[in-house]
Amino acid sequence: MRKEWIELEGFGSLAVEQVLVSFDVPILFVCENQNGKRFLTLCIDDEEGRYVIAEVLTSNLIGMLNNDITMEYVFRQAVNHILYVTEYDFDKEKFNIESEDSLSVSKEILPKEGMYFELNNEKIRQYCRDLRGDKVLYKKEESQYYEIALQNYKQPSFVITQDDEYDMLKRGKLTNDILTKNVNKIQRLSRIQLVA
């Protein structure tokens, strides 16, 4: 059952999918809308209802949880470079939401530069496994490969080496020429290694 949290114009209602850090209230958590888009959310001040919300690529979220990229990087690389900053209006009983450029927004409202997530417990590991099962790009620590599961193929997994496609983690998607070049292999093999 979805626990609705906030209405975000253009995205609909966001529900809390996973709390990553919590004290008395959730501090860092992931929301999801009805279309499956994910939003990393940071509580700046719970008494004033101040939050920073960033639509994120699932690949960046996994990279953050695996300590491959910093928390600040994930916010700065928000989809379309847009962050949503909220403040609760207690008189009107609703959130006021302003959009900010993620590349130029004040560092005061983001996680400290260079800071990694670092929390690692079974709940976080399970969430990462769930995200990977969501057919997304991710980095495998031990082999330094990226794996993409494509739902449209009968046998959907293949890997791409880090050396050749490192920037895919930042873009969060395969380029069309890589997919086109290898579509026949993808259809007939359950697992292939692509090396340009």
Side-chain angles (χ1 to χ4, degrees):
M1 184 169 117
R2 288 172 55 88
K3 181 182 175 186
E4 306 299 325
W5 176 63
I6 192 171
E7 187 78 21
L8 195 58
E9 189 175 336
F11 296 101
S13 182
L14 304 187
V16 176
E17 178 184 58
Q18 181 70 49
V19 175
L20 303 174
V21 178
S22 179
F23 293 107
D24 291 333
V25 297
I27 302 298
L28 184 67
F29 53 100
V30 180
C31 294
E32 186 179 32
N33 72 0
Q34 295 91 335
N35 298 326
K37 294 183 179 197
R38 289 192 170 87
F39 299 80
L40 184 61
T41 305
L42 175 67
C43 176
I44 305 168
D45 185 331
D46 67 306
E47 291 182 5
E48 294 181 9
R50 294 193 71 214
Y51 294 86
V52 178
I53 304 169
E55 182 187 353
V56 295
L57 299 172
T58 305
S59 56
N60 281 348
L61 184 56
I62 292 170
M64 180 193 83
L65 296 174
N66 286 331
N67 294 311
D68 296 325
I69 55 180
T70 66
M71 292 185 287
E72 184 216 23
Y73 177 88
V74 177
F75 280 97
R76 294 274 185 207
Q77 295 303 312
V79 172
N80 297 320
H81 296 293
I82 298 173
L83 293 178
Y84 302 92
V85 181
T86 73
E87 189 159 349
Y88 194 74
D89 185 329
F90 290 94
D91 294 330
K92 296 181 181 176
E93 297 184 344
K94 68 170 198 154
F95 281 101
N96 293 322
I97 303 172
E98 293 184 9
S99 59
E100 299 277 351
D101 182 318
S102 67
L103 298 176
S104 61
V105 71
S106 169
K107 65 181 181 180
E108 301 302 316
I109 65 169
L110 296 179
K112 189 175 178 181
E113 187 176 350
M115 183 179 286
Y116 288 87
F117 181 65
E118 294 185 352
L119 183 62
N120 186 4
N121 58 37
E122 183 52 36
K123 181 177 164 186
I124 299 299
R125 288 190 294 275
Q126 181 59 53
Y127 183 55
C128 279
R129 287 191 292 271
D130 292 345
L131 291 172
R132 285 193 294 268
D134 214 16
K135 314 304 181 206
V136 295
L137 179 69
Y138 74 99
K139 179 180 177 184
K140 290 173 75 175
E141 286 276 331
E142 63 280 359
S143 63
Q144 301 297 305
Y145 288 163
Y146 296 100
E147 182 172 326
I148 296 88
L150 302 173
Q151 294 174 317
N152 298 332
Y153 298 101
K154 289 182 181 177
Q155 299 176 344
S157 288
F158 65 96
V159 293
I160 295 177
T161 64
Q162 179 183 12
D163 293 337
D164 295 326
E165 298 299 333
Y166 183 78
D167 65 320
M168 285 174 24
L169 179 63
K170 293 179 183 167
R171 291 202 317 266
K173 61 183 179 181
L174 279 171
T175 58
N176 286 336
D177 57 324
I178 293 171
L179 274 177
T180 303
K181 182 170 78 173
N182 296 289
V183 70
N184 292 332
K185 292 180 187 175
I186 293 167
Q187 287 176 326
R188 69 176 188 269
L189 297 174
S190 63
R191 190 173 289 276
I192 64 173
Q193 181 175 320
L194 305 181
V195 181

mmCIF file of all heavy atoms in Angstrom, residues 110-152:
data_model
loop_
_atom_site.group_PDB
_atom_site.id
_atom_site.type_symbol
_atom_site.label_atom_id
_atom_site.label_comp_id
_atom_site.label_asym_id
_atom_site.label_seq_id
_atom_site.Cartn_x
_atom_site.Cartn_y
_atom_site.Cartn_z
ATOM 1 N N LEU A 110 22.535 20.915 0.473
ATOM 2 C CA LEU A 110 22.861 19.585 -0.046
ATOM 3 C C LEU A 110 23.788 18.846 0.916
ATOM 4 O O LEU A 110 24.404 19.460 1.789
ATOM 5 C CB LEU A 110 23.544 19.712 -1.413
ATOM 6 C CG LEU A 110 22.698 20.303 -2.539
ATOM 7 C CD1 LEU A 110 23.513 20.383 -3.816
ATOM 8 C CD2 LEU A 110 21.428 19.516 -2.757
ATOM 9 N N PRO A 111 23.904 17.532 0.750
ATOM 10 C CA PRO A 111 24.904 16.812 1.546
ATOM 11 C C PRO A 111 26.292 17.393 1.287
ATOM 12 O O PRO A 111 26.565 17.930 0.207
ATOM 13 C CB PRO A 111 24.809 15.376 1.019
ATOM 14 C CG PRO A 111 23.439 15.278 0.448
ATOM 15 C CD PRO A 111 23.136 16.639 -0.115
ATOM 16 N N LYS A 112 27.148 17.279 2.266
ATOM 17 C CA LYS A 112 28.503 17.822 2.171
ATOM 18 C C LYS A 112 29.239 17.241 0.973
ATOM 19 O O LYS A 112 29.163 16.040 0.706
ATOM 20 C CB LYS A 112 29.256 17.511 3.462
ATOM 21 C CG LYS A 112 30.586 18.181 3.592
ATOM 22 C CD LYS A 112 31.189 17.890 4.957
ATOM 23 C CE LYS A 112 32.548 18.525 5.080
ATOM 24 N NZ LYS A 112 33.153 18.237 6.385
ATOM 25 N N GLU A 113 29.951 18.091 0.257
ATOM 26 C CA GLU A 113 30.721 17.662 -0.913
ATOM 27 C C GLU A 113 31.719 16.569 -0.514
ATOM 28 O O GLU A 113 32.395 16.668 0.507
ATOM 29 C CB GLU A 113 31.475 18.852 -1.510
ATOM 30 C CG GLU A 113 32.165 18.553 -2.810
ATOM 31 C CD GLU A 113 32.827 19.780 -3.412
ATOM 32 O OE1 GLU A 113 32.590 20.901 -2.911
ATOM 33 O OE2 GLU A 113 33.583 19.618 -4.365
ATOM 34 N N GLY A 114 31.778 15.510 -1.303
ATOM 35 C CA GLY A 114 32.705 14.418 -1.040
ATOM 36 C C GLY A 114 32.197 13.384 -0.050
ATOM 37 O O GLY A 114 32.885 12.408 0.236
ATOM 38 N N MET A 115 30.989 13.571 0.483
ATOM 39 C CA MET A 115 30.456 12.647 1.476
ATOM 40 C C MET A 115 29.721 11.485 0.797
ATOM 41 O O MET A 115 28.859 11.693 -0.052
ATOM 42 C CB MET A 115 29.489 13.372 2.419
ATOM 43 C CG MET A 115 28.961 12.479 3.533
ATOM 44 S SD MET A 115 27.848 13.385 4.634
ATOM 45 C CE MET A 115 29.043 14.371 5.529
ATOM 46 N N TYR A 116 30.099 10.279 1.190
ATOM 47 C CA TYR A 116 29.469 9.073 0.665
ATOM 48 C C TYR A 116 28.390 8.600 1.636
ATOM 49 O O TYR A 116 28.401 8.929 2.819
ATOM 50 C CB TYR A 116 30.508 7.974 0.452
ATOM 51 C CG TYR A 116 31.423 8.261 -0.722
ATOM 52 C CD1 TYR A 116 32.574 9.027 -0.549
ATOM 53 C CD2 TYR A 116 31.118 7.794 -1.991
ATOM 54 C CE1 TYR A 116 33.407 9.313 -1.625
ATOM 55 C CE2 TYR A 116 31.942 8.068 -3.074
ATOM 56 C CZ TYR A 116 33.082 8.830 -2.879
ATOM 57 O OH TYR A 116 33.894 9.116 -3.946
ATOM 58 N N PHE A 117 27.487 7.790 1.125
ATOM 59 C CA PHE A 117 26.370 7.287 1.927
ATOM 60 C C PHE A 117 26.871 6.424 3.090
ATOM 61 O O PHE A 117 26.473 6.601 4.226
ATOM 62 C CB PHE A 117 25.404 6.512 1.032
ATOM 63 C CG PHE A 117 24.219 5.975 1.764
ATOM 64 C CD1 PHE A 117 23.288 6.825 2.328
ATOM 65 C CD2 PHE A 117 24.040 4.616 1.911
ATOM 66 C CE1 PHE A 117 22.189 6.332 3.012
ATOM 67 C CE2 PHE A 117 22.949 4.104 2.585
ATOM 68 C CZ PHE A 117 22.029 4.960 3.137
ATOM 69 N N GLU A 118 27.723 5.469 2.825
ATOM 70 C CA GLU A 118 28.454 4.628 3.777
ATOM 71 C C GLU A 118 27.625 3.704 4.657
ATOM 72 O O GLU A 118 28.157 2.779 5.218
ATOM 73 C CB GLU A 118 29.395 5.471 4.654
ATOM 74 C CG GLU A 118 30.511 6.110 3.858
ATOM 75 C CD GLU A 118 31.519 6.850 4.723
ATOM 76 O OE1 GLU A 118 31.278 7.013 5.937
ATOM 77 O OE2 GLU A 118 32.538 7.261 4.168
ATOM 78 N N LEU A 119 26.337 3.929 4.798
ATOM 79 C CA LEU A 119 25.523 3.023 5.601
ATOM 80 C C LEU A 119 25.324 1.731 4.826
ATOM 81 O O LEU A 119 24.932 1.739 3.668
ATOM 82 C CB LEU A 119 24.172 3.669 5.908
ATOM 83 C CG LEU A 119 23.224 2.880 6.793
ATOM 84 C CD1 LEU A 119 23.837 2.670 8.172
ATOM 85 C CD2 LEU A 119 21.895 3.602 6.922
ATOM 86 N N ASN A 120 25.628 0.607 5.471
ATOM 87 C CA ASN A 120 25.520 -0.681 4.788
ATOM 88 C C ASN A 120 24.941 -1.696 5.761
ATOM 89 O O ASN A 120 25.602 -2.133 6.678
ATOM 90 C CB ASN A 120 26.897 -1.121 4.282
ATOM 91 C CG ASN A 120 26.814 -2.362 3.437
ATOM 92 O OD1 ASN A 120 25.732 -2.874 3.150
ATOM 93 N ND2 ASN A 120 27.964 -2.860 3.030
ATOM 94 N N ASN A 121 23.680 -2.031 5.555
ATOM 95 C CA ASN A 121 23.055 -3.067 6.364
ATOM 96 C C ASN A 121 22.191 -3.928 5.446
ATOM 97 O O ASN A 121 22.076 -3.659 4.252
ATOM 98 C CB ASN A 121 22.243 -2.454 7.515
ATOM 99 C CG ASN A 121 21.166 -1.502 7.025
ATOM 100 O OD1 ASN A 121 20.537 -1.710 5.998
ATOM 101 N ND2 ASN A 121 20.963 -0.424 7.774
ATOM 102 N N GLU A 122 21.582 -4.937 5.974
ATOM 103 C CA GLU A 122 20.815 -5.864 5.135
ATOM 104 C C GLU A 122 19.634 -5.171 4.466
ATOM 105 O O GLU A 122 19.300 -5.459 3.320
ATOM 106 C CB GLU A 122 20.331 -7.073 5.945
ATOM 107 C CG GLU A 122 19.586 -8.100 5.123
ATOM 108 C CD GLU A 122 20.328 -8.567 3.867
ATOM 109 O OE1 GLU A 122 21.569 -8.694 3.893
ATOM 110 O OE2 GLU A 122 19.650 -8.804 2.839
ATOM 111 N N LYS A 123 19.034 -4.225 5.135
ATOM 112 C CA LYS A 123 17.907 -3.489 4.554
ATOM 113 C C LYS A 123 18.346 -2.713 3.308
ATOM 114 O O LYS A 123 17.657 -2.733 2.283
ATOM 115 C CB LYS A 123 17.348 -2.536 5.611
ATOM 116 C CG LYS A 123 16.162 -1.728 5.189
ATOM 117 C CD LYS A 123 15.689 -0.898 6.383
ATOM 118 C CE LYS A 123 14.776 0.211 5.946
ATOM 119 N NZ LYS A 123 14.415 1.095 7.046
ATOM 120 N N ILE A 124 19.502 -2.057 3.381
ATOM 121 C CA ILE A 124 20.029 -1.301 2.235
ATOM 122 C C ILE A 124 20.445 -2.260 1.128
ATOM 123 O O ILE A 124 20.166 -2.022 -0.053
ATOM 124 C CB ILE A 124 21.226 -0.414 2.660
ATOM 125 C CG1 ILE A 124 20.790 0.609 3.718
ATOM 126 C CG2 ILE A 124 21.860 0.266 1.457
ATOM 127 C CD1 ILE A 124 19.715 1.569 3.279
ATOM 128 N N ARG A 125 21.113 -3.356 1.492
ATOM 129 C CA ARG A 125 21.524 -4.336 0.469
ATOM 130 C C ARG A 125 20.313 -4.919 -0.247
ATOM 131 O O ARG A 125 20.328 -5.101 -1.468
ATOM 132 C CB ARG A 125 22.380 -5.435 1.099
ATOM 133 C CG ARG A 125 23.788 -4.964 1.490
ATOM 134 C CD ARG A 125 24.691 -6.122 1.884
ATOM 135 N NE ARG A 125 24.259 -6.791 3.106
ATOM 136 C CZ ARG A 125 24.584 -6.396 4.330
ATOM 137 N NH1 ARG A 125 25.344 -5.330 4.518
ATOM 138 N NH2 ARG A 125 24.168 -7.073 5.389
ATOM 139 N N GLN A 126 19.244 -5.201 0.491
ATOM 140 C CA GLN A 126 18.028 -5.741 -0.131
ATOM 141 C C GLN A 126 17.402 -4.707 -1.057
ATOM 142 O O GLN A 126 16.929 -5.031 -2.146
ATOM 143 C CB GLN A 126 17.027 -6.193 0.931
ATOM 144 C CG GLN A 126 15.755 -6.790 0.349
ATOM 145 C CD GLN A 126 16.027 -7.996 -0.529
ATOM 146 O OE1 GLN A 126 16.686 -8.943 -0.106
ATOM 147 N NE2 GLN A 126 15.530 -7.970 -1.769
ATOM 148 N N TYR A 127 17.403 -3.458 -0.633
ATOM 149 C CA TYR A 127 16.845 -2.400 -1.473
ATOM 150 C C TYR A 127 17.642 -2.289 -2.775
ATOM 151 O O TYR A 127 17.054 -2.144 -3.851
ATOM 152 C CB TYR A 127 16.837 -1.076 -0.708
ATOM 153 C CG TYR A 127 16.210 0.064 -1.471
ATOM 154 C CD1 TYR A 127 14.913 -0.040 -1.973
ATOM 155 C CD2 TYR A 127 16.896 1.245 -1.680
ATOM 156 C CE1 TYR A 127 14.339 1.010 -2.677
ATOM 157 C CE2 TYR A 127 16.323 2.299 -2.374
ATOM 158 C CZ TYR A 127 15.043 2.173 -2.875
ATOM 159 O OH TYR A 127 14.482 3.215 -3.570
ATOM 160 N N CYS A 128 18.968 -2.381 -2.687
ATOM 161 C CA CYS A 128 19.804 -2.364 -3.902
ATOM 162 C C CYS A 128 19.455 -3.538 -4.811
ATOM 163 O O CYS A 128 19.365 -3.381 -6.033
ATOM 164 C CB CYS A 128 21.287 -2.410 -3.547
ATOM 165 S SG CYS A 128 21.953 -0.821 -3.081
ATOM 166 N N ARG A 129 19.281 -4.718 -4.226
ATOM 167 C CA ARG A 129 18.897 -5.883 -5.032
ATOM 168 C C ARG A 129 17.550 -5.652 -5.705
ATOM 169 O O ARG A 129 17.369 -5.975 -6.880
ATOM 170 C CB ARG A 129 18.855 -7.146 -4.166
ATOM 171 C CG ARG A 129 20.238 -7.658 -3.770
ATOM 172 C CD ARG A 129 20.180 -9.043 -3.149
ATOM 173 N NE ARG A 129 19.528 -9.083 -1.855
ATOM 174 C CZ ARG A 129 20.159 -8.896 -0.687
ATOM 175 N NH1 ARG A 129 21.463 -8.670 -0.657
ATOM 176 N NH2 ARG A 129 19.492 -8.949 0.451
ATOM 177 N N ASP A 130 16.625 -5.061 -4.969
ATOM 178 C CA ASP A 130 15.317 -4.758 -5.546
ATOM 179 C C ASP A 130 15.451 -3.767 -6.700
ATOM 180 O O ASP A 130 14.795 -3.915 -7.733
ATOM 181 C CB ASP A 130 14.374 -4.186 -4.489
ATOM 182 C CG ASP A 130 13.997 -5.206 -3.428
ATOM 183 O OD1 ASP A 130 14.217 -6.427 -3.647
ATOM 184 O OD2 ASP A 130 13.513 -4.791 -2.356
ATOM 185 N N LEU A 131 16.285 -2.746 -6.525
ATOM 186 C CA LEU A 131 16.486 -1.762 -7.588
ATOM 187 C C LEU A 131 17.120 -2.404 -8.821
ATOM 188 O O LEU A 131 16.724 -2.114 -9.947
ATOM 189 C CB LEU A 131 17.365 -0.606 -7.099
ATOM 190 C CG LEU A 131 16.750 0.323 -6.062
ATOM 191 C CD1 LEU A 131 17.796 1.290 -5.536
ATOM 192 C CD2 LEU A 131 15.559 1.074 -6.641
ATOM 193 N N ARG A 132 18.104 -3.264 -8.597
ATOM 194 C CA ARG A 132 18.743 -3.934 -9.729
ATOM 195 C C ARG A 132 17.748 -4.820 -10.465
ATOM 196 O O ARG A 132 17.803 -4.949 -11.681
ATOM 197 C CB ARG A 132 19.943 -4.743 -9.272
ATOM 198 C CG ARG A 132 21.148 -3.881 -8.939
ATOM 199 C CD ARG A 132 22.398 -4.713 -8.808
ATOM 200 N NE ARG A 132 22.362 -5.612 -7.684
ATOM 201 C CZ ARG A 132 22.827 -5.349 -6.468
ATOM 202 N NH1 ARG A 132 23.357 -4.169 -6.215
ATOM 203 N NH2 ARG A 132 22.761 -6.239 -5.511
ATOM 204 N N GLY A 133 16.830 -5.403 -9.738
ATOM 205 C CA GLY A 133 15.802 -6.223 -10.357
ATOM 206 C C GLY A 133 14.804 -5.395 -11.138
ATOM 207 O O GLY A 133 13.975 -5.916 -11.863
ATOM 208 N N ASP A 134 14.914 -4.076 -11.002
ATOM 209 C CA ASP A 134 14.017 -3.154 -11.674
ATOM 210 C C ASP A 134 14.499 -2.844 -13.087
ATOM 211 O O ASP A 134 14.095 -1.860 -13.668
ATOM 212 C CB ASP A 134 13.954 -1.860 -10.856
ATOM 213 C CG ASP A 134 12.601 -1.207 -10.913
ATOM 214 O OD1 ASP A 134 11.638 -1.878 -11.309
ATOM 215 O OD2 ASP A 134 12.520 -0.023 -10.581
ATOM 216 N N LYS A 135 15.391 -3.659 -13.613
ATOM 217 C CA LYS A 135 15.869 -3.552 -14.987
ATOM 218 C C LYS A 135 16.617 -2.251 -15.227
ATOM 219 O O LYS A 135 16.248 -1.445 -16.067
ATOM 220 C CB LYS A 135 14.710 -3.658 -15.996
ATOM 221 C CG LYS A 135 13.737 -4.776 -15.720
ATOM 222 C CD LYS A 135 14.415 -6.120 -15.645
ATOM 223 C CE LYS A 135 13.396 -7.212 -15.387
ATOM 224 N NZ LYS A 135 13.930 -8.357 -14.731
ATOM 225 N N VAL A 136 17.681 -2.029 -14.445
ATOM 226 C CA VAL A 136 18.432 -0.792 -14.574
ATOM 227 C C VAL A 136 19.921 -1.074 -14.655
ATOM 228 O O VAL A 136 20.392 -2.168 -14.378
ATOM 229 C CB VAL A 136 18.185 0.160 -13.382
ATOM 230 C CG1 VAL A 136 16.753 0.609 -13.347
ATOM 231 C CG2 VAL A 136 18.577 -0.503 -12.082
ATOM 232 N N LEU A 137 20.651 -0.029 -14.997
ATOM 233 C CA LEU A 137 22.102 -0.071 -15.082
ATOM 234 C C LEU A 137 22.699 -0.050 -13.682
ATOM 235 O O LEU A 137 22.250 0.686 -12.821
ATOM 236 C CB LEU A 137 22.556 1.170 -15.840
ATOM 237 C CG LEU A 137 24.027 1.419 -16.057
ATOM 238 C CD1 LEU A 137 24.575 0.398 -17.024
ATOM 239 C CD2 LEU A 137 24.216 2.814 -16.614
ATOM 240 N N TYR A 138 23.713 -0.855 -13.461
ATOM 241 C CA TYR A 138 24.384 -0.769 -12.178
ATOM 242 C C TYR A 138 25.829 -1.239 -12.287
ATOM 243 O O TYR A 138 26.222 -1.858 -13.248
ATOM 244 C CB TYR A 138 23.649 -1.564 -11.104
ATOM 245 C CG TYR A 138 23.788 -3.066 -11.195
ATOM 246 C CD1 TYR A 138 24.693 -3.741 -10.391
ATOM 247 C CD2 TYR A 138 23.017 -3.793 -12.089
ATOM 248 C CE1 TYR A 138 24.815 -5.113 -10.465
ATOM 249 C CE2 TYR A 138 23.148 -5.171 -12.166
ATOM 250 C CZ TYR A 138 24.036 -5.822 -11.353
ATOM 251 O OH TYR A 138 24.166 -7.174 -11.430
ATOM 252 N N LYS A 139 26.607 -0.951 -11.286
ATOM 253 C CA LYS A 139 28.011 -1.327 -11.257
ATOM 254 C C LYS A 139 28.176 -2.528 -10.354
ATOM 255 O O LYS A 139 27.700 -2.533 -9.238
ATOM 256 C CB LYS A 139 28.845 -0.174 -10.716
ATOM 257 C CG LYS A 139 30.317 -0.496 -10.622
ATOM 258 C CD LYS A 139 31.095 0.672 -10.088
ATOM 259 C CE LYS A 139 32.548 0.322 -9.932
ATOM 260 N NZ LYS A 139 33.312 1.395 -9.342
ATOM 261 N N LYS A 140 28.884 -3.549 -10.848
ATOM 262 C CA LYS A 140 29.200 -4.698 -10.022
ATOM 263 C C LYS A 140 30.609 -4.500 -9.488
ATOM 264 O O LYS A 140 31.566 -4.497 -10.239
ATOM 265 C CB LYS A 140 29.117 -5.982 -10.848
ATOM 266 C CG LYS A 140 27.696 -6.354 -11.239
ATOM 267 C CD LYS A 140 27.649 -7.518 -12.176
ATOM 268 C CE LYS A 140 27.931 -8.798 -11.445
ATOM 269 N NZ LYS A 140 27.792 -9.976 -12.296
ATOM 270 N N GLU A 141 30.718 -4.290 -8.179
ATOM 271 C CA GLU A 141 32.006 -3.995 -7.545
ATOM 272 C C GLU A 141 33.099 -4.961 -7.956
ATOM 273 O O GLU A 141 34.157 -4.577 -8.386
ATOM 274 C CB GLU A 141 31.862 -4.068 -6.016
ATOM 275 C CG GLU A 141 31.153 -2.926 -5.391
ATOM 276 C CD GLU A 141 32.037 -1.737 -5.132
ATOM 277 O OE1 GLU A 141 33.238 -1.903 -4.926
ATOM 278 O OE2 GLU A 141 31.507 -0.630 -5.120
ATOM 279 N N GLU A 142 32.809 -6.261 -7.822
ATOM 280 C CA GLU A 142 33.872 -7.230 -7.968
ATOM 281 C C GLU A 142 34.406 -7.335 -9.391
ATOM 282 O O GLU A 142 35.581 -7.564 -9.600
ATOM 283 C CB GLU A 142 33.430 -8.608 -7.459
ATOM 284 C CG GLU A 142 32.276 -9.249 -8.213
ATOM 285 C CD GLU A 142 30.893 -8.735 -7.827
ATOM 286 O OE1 GLU A 142 30.797 -7.857 -6.933
ATOM 287 O OE2 GLU A 142 29.922 -9.189 -8.418
ATOM 288 N N SER A 143 33.563 -7.132 -10.396
ATOM 289 C CA SER A 143 34.026 -7.322 -11.766
ATOM 290 C C SER A 143 34.193 -6.022 -12.528
ATOM 291 O O SER A 143 34.711 -6.014 -13.634
ATOM 292 C CB SER A 143 33.047 -8.225 -12.524
ATOM 293 O OG SER A 143 31.791 -7.584 -12.596
ATOM 294 N N GLN A 144 33.765 -4.909 -11.940
ATOM 295 C CA GLN A 144 33.841 -3.613 -12.596
ATOM 296 C C GLN A 144 33.064 -3.595 -13.912
ATOM 297 O O GLN A 144 33.451 -2.955 -14.858
ATOM 298 C CB GLN A 144 35.310 -3.215 -12.837
ATOM 299 C CG GLN A 144 36.136 -3.125 -11.583
ATOM 300 C CD GLN A 144 35.630 -2.035 -10.654
ATOM 301 O OE1 GLN A 144 35.506 -0.904 -11.052
ATOM 302 N NE2 GLN A 144 35.311 -2.386 -9.431
ATOM 303 N N TYR A 145 31.977 -4.339 -13.980
ATOM 304 C CA TYR A 145 31.106 -4.336 -15.155
ATOM 305 C C TYR A 145 29.812 -3.623 -14.819
ATOM 306 O O TYR A 145 29.408 -3.543 -13.673
ATOM 307 C CB TYR A 145 30.754 -5.753 -15.597
ATOM 308 C CG TYR A 145 31.857 -6.529 -16.233
ATOM 309 C CD1 TYR A 145 31.750 -7.904 -16.353
ATOM 310 C CD2 TYR A 145 32.992 -5.921 -16.719
ATOM 311 C CE1 TYR A 145 32.753 -8.651 -16.937
ATOM 312 C CE2 TYR A 145 34.002 -6.651 -17.297
ATOM 313 C CZ TYR A 145 33.882 -8.020 -17.398
ATOM 314 O OH TYR A 145 34.884 -8.747 -17.981
ATOM 315 N N TYR A 146 29.150 -3.161 -15.875
ATOM 316 C CA TYR A 146 27.800 -2.645 -15.730
ATOM 317 C C TYR A 146 26.857 -3.673 -16.329
ATOM 318 O O TYR A 146 27.159 -4.292 -17.333
ATOM 319 C CB TYR A 146 27.632 -1.326 -16.491
ATOM 320 C CG TYR A 146 28.487 -0.238 -15.934
ATOM 321 C CD1 TYR A 146 29.685 0.105 -16.536
ATOM 322 C CD2 TYR A 146 28.117 0.425 -14.780
ATOM 323 C CE1 TYR A 146 30.487 1.085 -16.022
ATOM 324 C CE2 TYR A 146 28.911 1.421 -14.258
ATOM 325 C CZ TYR A 146 30.103 1.742 -14.887
ATOM 326 O OH TYR A 146 30.888 2.713 -14.361
ATOM 327 N N GLU A 147 25.718 -3.842 -15.720
ATOM 328 C CA GLU A 147 24.746 -4.790 -16.245
ATOM 329 C C GLU A 147 23.434 -4.071 -16.499
ATOM 330 O O GLU A 147 22.995 -3.262 -15.702
ATOM 331 C CB GLU A 147 24.519 -5.927 -15.262
ATOM 332 C CG GLU A 147 23.558 -6.965 -15.777
ATOM 333 C CD GLU A 147 23.488 -8.181 -14.874
ATOM 334 O OE1 GLU A 147 24.525 -8.540 -14.280
ATOM 335 O OE2 GLU A 147 22.422 -8.746 -14.766
ATOM 336 N N ILE A 148 22.842 -4.368 -17.641
ATOM 337 C CA ILE A 148 21.568 -3.793 -17.996
ATOM 338 C C ILE A 148 20.623 -4.943 -18.283
ATOM 339 O O ILE A 148 20.937 -5.830 -19.056
ATOM 340 C CB ILE A 148 21.674 -2.916 -19.266
ATOM 341 C CG1 ILE A 148 22.576 -1.715 -19.022
ATOM 342 C CG2 ILE A 148 20.305 -2.425 -19.703
ATOM 343 C CD1 ILE A 148 23.984 -1.927 -19.274
ATOM 344 N N ALA A 149 19.484 -4.961 -17.664
ATOM 345 C CA ALA A 149 18.489 -5.978 -17.961
ATOM 346 C C ALA A 149 17.423 -5.325 -18.817
ATOM 347 O O ALA A 149 16.868 -4.303 -18.448
ATOM 348 C CB ALA A 149 17.893 -6.532 -16.679
ATOM 349 N N LEU A 150 17.173 -5.877 -19.971
ATOM 350 C CA LEU A 150 16.199 -5.312 -20.896
ATOM 351 C C LEU A 150 14.952 -6.177 -20.893
ATOM 352 O O LEU A 150 15.007 -7.355 -21.214
ATOM 353 C CB LEU A 150 16.792 -5.245 -22.315
ATOM 354 C CG LEU A 150 18.077 -4.432 -22.419
ATOM 355 C CD1 LEU A 150 18.671 -4.567 -23.801
ATOM 356 C CD2 LEU A 150 17.799 -2.987 -22.115
ATOM 357 N N GLN A 151 13.821 -5.596 -20.567
ATOM 358 C CA GLN A 151 12.598 -6.361 -20.426
ATOM 359 C C GLN A 151 12.066 -6.886 -21.757
ATOM 360 O O GLN A 151 11.309 -7.831 -21.784
ATOM 361 C CB GLN A 151 11.516 -5.489 -19.779
ATOM 362 C CG GLN A 151 11.858 -5.120 -18.358
ATOM 363 C CD GLN A 151 10.864 -4.145 -17.789
ATOM 364 O OE1 GLN A 151 10.458 -3.207 -18.448
ATOM 365 N NE2 GLN A 151 10.490 -4.353 -16.542
ATOM 366 N N ASN A 152 12.425 -6.274 -22.864
ATOM 367 C CA ASN A 152 11.831 -6.639 -24.150
ATOM 368 C C ASN A 152 12.458 -7.864 -24.796
ATOM 369 O O ASN A 152 12.070 -8.237 -25.888
ATOM 370 C CB ASN A 152 11.932 -5.468 -25.122
ATOM 371 C CG ASN A 152 11.155 -4.268 -24.618
ATOM 372 O OD1 ASN A 152 10.186 -4.441 -23.886
ATOM 373 N ND2 ASN A 152 11.571 -3.088 -24.979
#
